[in-house]
Structures are given as C-alpha cells and as structure tokens.
Amino acid sequence: SKWGEYGDGDGQLNHPSSIAFDAEENVLVVDTMNHRIQKFTKKGKFISKWGEYGDGPGQFNMPWGIALDDCGDIYVGDWRNHRIQKFTGEGDFVFQIGSLGSLDGEFYKPAGITIDCDDDIYVADSGNNRIQQFDANGRFVDKFIGDATLSVMARDYMLTNAHPNRLREMTTLEPAKRLRSPRSVRVTELGRMFVVDYGSYRVQVYQKEVVHLDSTQITPPMRSPTLAVV
C-alpha cells in the first residue's frame, strides 16, 4: 500500500526524508520541505502534525533525521537550523541541542540521528564530517571523525593491482580514513554503531565500550564543582 501525495495539506508531503515508529506502531514522517513532522497510523491514516518554517522552538528549516527514545520522546535533526530538537510524543518542545559551528556540541547541517539503549544520542554532523555523541540531557560526550581500514575486498584488489599501490606510496593516507559527509547513523542493541560514510561510498563500524554503574557507584552532585582530571 501507499499513502500521501505532493502538497502541504494534512497527510500531504513535500520531499519526506526520514521515518520512525512509536510504541503504538504509528509512523512519524519528516516532511522536510513542509518543515514539519506528520504522524500516521501504520495504515496511512493522518493523526497529527507539528512544526512550521522558522528558527524558534518547535519550528524547522528543512528537518531531516528523526529518532525516538525508550520513553517515546522524539528527536529531530533540524538541518538548516543546525540543531537537534527534542519533543514529547505529542510534539511539545522540550529542549534543543547545539547551534551553528564546528566546536564540540555545535553542528553544520545535522542529518541522521539515533538513540541507543543507554539513551545516548548520536548525530550525523554531515557538514562537519563527524558523528557526535550526547547523553540524555544533551551534554556533549564524544565525537567520531572516522578511522577506516581496508575491507577484505579492498585488500584483495590492492594485492592484485600494482598501480594503486604506487599511488598509496605517493600520498598521505590519513584523510582516506576520515568520514566525509556522513548522512546516517544507527546503533544496535549490542552497541555496534554503523555510520553511512556518504562521501567515501562506504560504511564505517564502531563498537561501544561501556561499564554500567548503579546509583551507589556514583557520588551525588557536588555542591561546589571543581575541575577534575580523569
């Protein structure tokens, strides 16, 4: 089956870019050029929508990626506003992460987004050629810039073709490892992160290493925080 047609009315779409499913199996569609999110039943019946063109809370400028956490909250990559917005399952604005820039926690055209089982948020920061990781409160945790190695097929090719080997001897190899305009990211239940390395025609894969702690293993918030070296 199919649903939707070109337009800006309820249930109509203009360049939809991404979808996600909520706990009731409703379909959330990123209606990119209409600058909104639309919700449908799995049979395609229109339920609701939110968002409009702009840069204020709850507004969008070409939204792209979308993901849901275990509580049903919704995260949207607001591509041309260079930020991530978080909403309740009903579409009410909660907070935003980031702004235009290239520093930690800033974005340039964020695209795909995903949430792992620890509620960490991963964003394909396409214009900055990296993946950024945030905790559930939107605090920057880490970034991944790419560290690709040759695949089995590539190794076989290099062993049977002398000319590419000579070219590798004549150039700096580090840029070949890095991500170029990553567009999508997904994390499995086992913590394996798959990154669509769009500009390099490949997928890079990472394995998350994490130690889960309970409340007895973490001190309460400090009353007078000081800089700590770990």
Side-chain angles (χ1 to χ4, degrees), residues 3 13 16-22 26-31 37-38 40 64-68 113 186:
W3 68 84
L13 303 165
S17 61
S18 187
I19 63 174
F21 297 89
D22 66 16
N26 296 316
V27 186
L28 295 157
V29 181
V30 181
D31 190 5
I37 307 299
Q38 295 200 68
F40 301 84
W64 194 314
I66 187 170
L68 279 73
I113 181 171
R186 291 289 184 271

Side-chain angles (χ1 to χ4, degrees), residues 94-113:
V94 179
F95 64 68
Q96 81 169 47
I97 304 171
S99 59
L100 175 62
S102 59
L103 299 177
D104 292 347
E106 296 178 335
F107 299 108
Y108 182 49
K109 297 180 178 178
I113 181 171

Side-chain angles (χ1 to χ4, degrees), residues 167-177:
L167 294 177
R168 284 174 65 85
E169 288 291 318
M170 296 169 60
T171 189
T172 301
L173 295 178
E174 183 180 10
K177 300 179 179 181

Side-chain angles (χ1 to χ4, degrees), residues 6 26 36 63 75 90 95 120 139 158-160 166 186 189 209:
Y6 175 77
N26 296 316
R36 65 187 181 184
Y75 300 76
E90 289 71 44
F95 64 68
D120 283 341
R139 182 182 68 88
M158 298 302 293
L159 289 172
T160 55
R166 173 53 61 193
R186 291 289 184 271
E189 292 182 358
E209 294 183 357

Side-chain angles (χ1 to χ4, degrees), residues 153-165:
M153 184 179 295
R155 289 176 184 272
D156 290 343
Y157 176 82
M158 298 302 293
L159 289 172
T160 55
N161 291 270
H163 183 64
N165 288 326

Side-chain angles (χ1 to χ4, degrees), residues 30-193:
V30 181
D31 190 5
T32 299
M33 296 306 296
N34 282 326
H35 313 288
R36 65 187 181 184
I37 307 299
Q38 295 200 68
K39 182 188 289 190
F40 301 84
T41 68
K42 61 182 178 181
K43 293 185 177 181
K45 182 180 179 180
F46 173 80
I47 298 175
S48 63
K49 64 182 180 182
W50 71 88
E52 61 183 2
Y53 177 78
D55 59 9
Q59 296 179 321
F60 299 111
N61 189 346
M62 291 183 63
W64 194 314
I66 187 170
L68 279 73
D69 63 20
D70 289 340
C71 296
D73 291 330
I74 302 164
Y75 300 76
V76 180
D78 195 359
W79 196 68
R80 279 191 173 170
N81 281 327
H82 313 289
R83 64 185 179 182
I84 304 301
Q85 295 196 68
K86 179 180 179 178
F87 301 88
T88 67
E90 289 71 44
D92 297 321
F93 175 80
V94 179
F95 64 68
Q96 81 169 47
I97 304 171
S99 59
L100 175 62
S102 59
L103 299 177
D104 292 347
E106 296 178 335
F107 299 108
Y108 182 49
K109 297 180 178 178
I113 181 171
T114 194
I115 317 294
D116 72 10
C117 60
D118 300 312
D119 286 332
D120 283 341
I121 306 160
Y122 300 81
V123 181
D125 188 8
S126 63
N128 284 323
N129 303 306
R130 63 188 181 181
I131 303 296
Q132 293 201 70
Q133 177 186 359
F134 300 84
D135 67 15
N137 297 313
R139 182 182 68 88
F140 172 82
V141 175
D142 203 352
K143 61 176 177 273
F144 307 89
I145 61 174
D147 195 23
T149 57
L150 289 176
S151 66
V152 173
M153 184 179 295
R155 289 176 184 272
D156 290 343
Y157 176 82
M158 298 302 293
L159 289 172
T160 55
N161 291 270
H163 183 64
N165 288 326
R166 173 53 61 193
L167 294 177
R168 284 174 65 85
E169 288 291 318
M170 296 169 60
T171 189
T172 301
L173 295 178
E174 183 180 10
K177 300 179 179 181
R178 304 309 180 203
L179 295 169
R180 290 194 294 170
S181 191
R183 299 295 177 89
S184 183
V185 57
R186 291 289 184 271
V187 180
T188 70
E189 292 182 358
L190 298 178
R192 186 160 289 184
M193 180 174 71

